[in-house]
Amino acid sequence: MDDISKLIRNRNRLLLAMASIVIIWQGALLTRDVTAAAGGPADLVSAAAFIEDLGIFAWLFACIGLVFY
């Protein structure tokens, strides 16, 4: 496999990871907001907020990786 094909494959993997991170991040945000609005358990709200924070940092690192890639 030539170098261009490897670069394209790696870029596609990074973009797929970024899409997955956004889905997890936004899903946690939606879960946190809906649960808090419905008066759900505080443990679920805090767990969703923690996952949301992880998603934000993962997205940040993926964006930095895309810039350097």
Side-chain angles (χ1 to χ4, degrees):
M1 182 177 287
D2 61 340
D3 290 337
I4 299 298
S5 297
K6 288 180 185 178
L7 288 172
I8 291 171
R9 186 183 66 213
N10 289 337
R11 184 200 62 201
N12 288 340
R13 286 181 182 166
L14 182 60
L15 291 175
L16 180 63
M18 290 176 77
S20 301
I21 290 167
V22 166
I23 290 170
I24 292 170
W25 172 19
Q26 294 300 311
L29 177 69
L30 178 66
T31 302
R32 181 181 56 95
D33 289 345
V34 168
T35 305
D43 292 340
L44 182 59
V45 174
S46 63
F50 179 71
I51 294 171
E52 180 186 355
D53 291 342
L54 288 178
I56 290 169
F57 287 117
W59 177 257
L60 174 69
F61 290 127
C63 286
I64 291 170
L66 187 62
V67 167
F68 285 120
Y69 178 71

